[in-house]
Amino acid sequence: MVVLGEYTKTRGRMLLTAVMFSAYFFVSVGPVWSAQRGGGQRIHRLALAAGAVAMLLLLAGVWGTPNSDAFWKSAAIVTVLALVLAYLSLLDREPGALARGFAVKAVAAATLLVCVGIAAGITWPPYWWVFTLSVIVWLGALAGTPAIWLAKRLGSRIQAR
C-alpha cells in the first residue's frame, strides 16, 4: 500500500489480517511455553483454544463485515477471555498457584467487569472507573512482585558489605 500509494478495502483487510495473525501468534507464545514446561492445571489448552476462537471471530468480522452489535460484543468478550487466559497460563506453574495470587484475583475482577460491561452495554462512567481502578490494582500487583524481589536482592547486597 505504501509503495503503490493506494489504499483499497481489500488491501486494508489483508493488512489487518496480517496484524491479527501476528498478535495471535505473539499471545500464543505464553501458553505454548507453559505447555512445554508442564504447567500445573493445563490452562494453556484452554488459552490456545480461546485464542483460536477469538482469531476466527475477528477474521470473520473483518472479511464478512457483520453489521451486528451482538457479534462484535461476542468477539470482544472472547478476545478478552483469550488474552486473560494466555496471561493466566504463564502463572500456572504449580497446583494452587492461581488461587493464591493477588494479581490473579485482580485480573479476574477486571475481566468480570469488562465482560459484563460489554455484554450489558453499560455506558455508565462510574462503572468504567471501577474497571479502570481494578486494572490499576492489577498492574500494581504485577509490578509489586519484581519490586519486592529487587528490594530483597538489594537488601542482601547491602547487608553483605
Side-chain angles (χ1 to χ4, degrees):
M1 286 187 309
V2 172
V3 173
L4 295 176
E6 180 181 8
Y7 174 82
T8 64
K9 193 178 214 180
T10 303
R11 288 185 185 137
R13 287 178 178 171
M14 291 170 75
L15 178 65
L16 191 55
T17 300
V19 168
M20 285 192 301
F21 268 115
S22 65
Y24 168 73
F25 289 125
F26 180 73
V27 170
S28 296
V29 168
V32 169
W33 177 78
S34 177
Q36 289 177 342
R37 297 274 189 173
Q41 302 295 327
R42 309 288 184 237
I43 197 169
H44 56 272
R45 290 182 186 153
L46 187 58
L48 289 171
V53 170
M55 179 69 177
L56 290 174
L57 281 173
L58 292 174
L59 285 174
V62 167
W63 288 96
T65 60
N67 198 12
S68 168
D69 193 41
F71 173 83
W72 288 110
K73 284 182 178 184
S74 300
I77 289 170
V78 171
T79 303
V80 166
L81 290 175
L83 290 171
V84 170
L85 286 171
Y87 166 69
L88 293 178
S89 72
L90 289 173
L91 301 180
D92 188 30
R93 301 300 308 141
E94 60 207 31
L98 291 179
R100 290 190 308 263
F102 178 73
V104 172
K105 293 172 185 166
V107 78
T111 303
L112 179 68
L113 283 172
V114 75
C115 289
V116 169
I118 290 171
I122 297 174
T123 58
W124 190 46
Y127 183 86
W128 294 106
W129 278 106
V130 171
F131 165 72
T132 303
L133 288 176
S134 65
V135 169
I136 290 170
V137 167
W138 170 66
L139 289 174
L142 196 63
T145 303
I148 291 170
W149 178 81
L150 187 61
K152 286 180 182 179
R153 190 151 166 106
L154 288 175
S156 66
R157 283 189 179 186
I158 290 172
Q159 289 178 352
R161 289 184 183 184

